[in-house]
Amino acid sequence: QSFLDTCGGLRGLPSSFPPFLAAVQAAVKKQMDAAVVDNDKVYHERIPSAENLKPPERFGKTLAKPLPMGDLVAMTQLRDPFSHVTPVHILDAHNQFKGEVTQMLSRQTSETCRHRERLKDAVNQMGIVGAIGAFEAREEGLPASLSERIQGIQSA
């Protein structure tokens, strides 16, 4: 109520504001009254004293014979439902390892391609491919000086 009185005394508010505040106040009062009634019914019931309580029926009587848990598991013949689950930290380590292997393989592949290109350039600069083709096309075979060297090495 004091909030409504304070807001009513303010100047410069639109004319639709006081009826809106009155509607809000009515809704809040209605919900508060309902909450007070519920609290009076539910939360404030009288709790009987221990002397006035009667013992429960069948107190101390066994209704069923308990079985050990091991026997129950053996009788059901079920396997552990979590036996196939892999721990999260192992999955994370596996994914990290796969990432490192992929990265290393990619780095090695690019390095190998770079070296292969350098070798191709060196072979082309030396003209080895053309020299082999020219050698195979000759009818005479190896030059005499080269044949003598080869025979000297083979005989030694």
Side-chain angles (χ1 to χ4, degrees):
Q1 182 65 37
S2 65
F3 177 72
L4 186 63
D5 293 340
T6 303
C7 288
L10 294 176
R11 297 176 193 259
L13 293 175
S15 61
S16 62
F17 197 64
F20 170 74
L21 283 178
V24 168
Q25 183 182 15
V28 168
K29 180 163 178 29
K30 182 179 175 183
Q31 289 181 0
M32 184 173 166
D33 292 343
V36 167
V37 169
D38 284 347
N39 280 345
D40 288 343
K41 289 180 182 175
V42 175
Y43 296 113
H44 299 289
E45 288 183 1
R46 191 179 72 72
I47 300 173
S49 65
E51 294 84 29
N52 295 340
L53 291 176
K54 58 182 182 180
E57 295 180 20
R58 296 186 179 183
F59 185 70
K61 295 181 182 178
T62 303
L63 300 177
K65 182 180 175 184
L67 290 176
M69 284 301 279
D71 293 345
L72 289 175
V73 173
M75 287 188 329
T76 58
Q77 297 178 352
L78 294 175
R79 67 178 187 85
D80 180 12
F82 300 105
S83 63
H84 66 283
V85 178
T86 306
V88 174
H89 68 280
I90 292 178
L91 292 175
D92 290 342
H94 174 49
N95 289 336
Q96 181 181 1
F97 174 75
K98 279 176 42 179
E100 288 175 4
V101 166
T102 303
Q103 184 181 19
M104 195 182 322
L105 186 61
S106 173
R107 188 173 42 240
Q108 192 64 39
T109 302
S110 65
E111 220 175 290
T112 303
C113 289
R114 189 168 38 92
H115 288 301
R116 181 181 296 131
E117 291 301 319
R118 287 175 61 192
L119 282 173
K120 282 182 183 179
D121 290 342
V123 166
N124 286 336
Q125 284 177 357
M126 289 188 260
I128 293 177
V129 175
I132 291 174
F135 175 74
E136 289 176 348
R138 286 179 54 176
E139 294 179 10
E140 305 168 3
L142 294 173
S145 62
L146 190 55
S147 293
E148 291 172 6
R149 283 181 139 179
I150 292 174
Q151 286 177 359
I153 291 171
Q154 287 178 349
S155 63

